[in-house]
Amino acid sequence: ALLHKAVKLVPPISIKGIVDFDMVLDEMWAVAQEEMNFLLEASNIEEFAGNNRDVAFVATPKLYRKYTTSHVLVMEYIKGFNIDDKEGLLKDGYDLEEIGSKLIDNYIRQVIEDGFFHADPHPGNVRIRDGKIVWIDMGMMGRLSEHDKKGTEQCCLRHRHERYRHDRGCGACNW
């Protein structure tokens, strides 16, 4: 409520006429409420883990559901390397190109195949442990409809087709 009142004080010679600050604040509030509901985050962890159960190089923290409430999320502590810790990863024998390739492959799978993806994949939320990419902090997740998944897939295929200059109808990108 306080920020909504402050918006009214923004001088008219600004972006106030272009951006609906009240709508932005309402959206920020809704996202913050979702991210702070740990029962929802627990469900996100379970769904994400289920979607990736057959991916050998992806893991999620073990969830202790019986101790989790809407105000407390109980899961294992994830040791390992932040994904941007190049020095530590190299010192431990990791192949950065392989990690990057697997990370991109998994993220594309999340979006295009599952339609349920990590919406906050910054280096603090992606760790490397025991040869696996461990996704943490699933308070903000994105979800796509079948229509949006198909559209995203078509955009990726078109980009691949154009980037590698494949002929129309090539089998490599189904374009």
Side-chain angles (χ1 to χ4, degrees), residues 84-108:
D84 63 348
D85 182 0
K86 292 179 188 178
E87 186 178 303
L89 288 164
L90 288 170
K91 186 177 177 184
D92 213 49
Y94 284 100
D95 178 339
L96 300 182
E97 196 167 305
E98 179 183 8
I99 290 171
S101 178
K102 287 179 175 179
L103 180 72
I104 295 299
D105 285 349
N106 183 250
Y107 203 75
I108 289 171

Side-chain angles (χ1 to χ4, degrees), residues 62-75:
K62 180 178 179 184
L63 174 66
Y64 296 94
R65 180 61 105 151
K66 71 180 185 176
Y67 302 113
T68 297
T69 69
S70 61
H71 301 291
V72 177
L73 179 65
V74 182
M75 60 186 178

Side-chain angles (χ1 to χ4, degrees), residues 79-86 89 123-128 136:
K79 290 183 180 182
F81 299 94
N82 278 358
I83 197 145
D84 63 348
D85 182 0
K86 292 179 188 178
L89 288 164
N125 285 344
V126 184
R127 300 185 63 81
I128 304 298
I136 59 176

Side-chain angles (χ1 to χ4, degrees), residues 28-91:
M28 287 173 57
W29 179 252
V31 168
Q33 292 297 103
E34 264 187 30
E35 190 163 4
M36 297 305 291
N37 180 344
F38 293 125
L39 289 174
L40 178 60
E41 184 167 352
S43 294
N44 290 343
I45 292 169
E46 290 170 334
E47 182 174 351
F48 187 90
N51 288 348
N52 287 280
R53 70 181 158 273
D54 63 331
V55 182
F57 59 86
V58 170
T60 56
K62 180 178 179 184
L63 174 66
Y64 296 94
R65 180 61 105 151
K66 71 180 185 176
Y67 302 113
T68 297
T69 69
S70 61
H71 301 291
V72 177
L73 179 65
V74 182
M75 60 186 178
E76 76 174 302
Y77 176 76
I78 301 297
K79 290 183 180 182
F81 299 94
N82 278 358
I83 197 145
D84 63 348
D85 182 0
K86 292 179 188 178
E87 186 178 303
L89 288 164
L90 288 170
K91 186 177 177 184

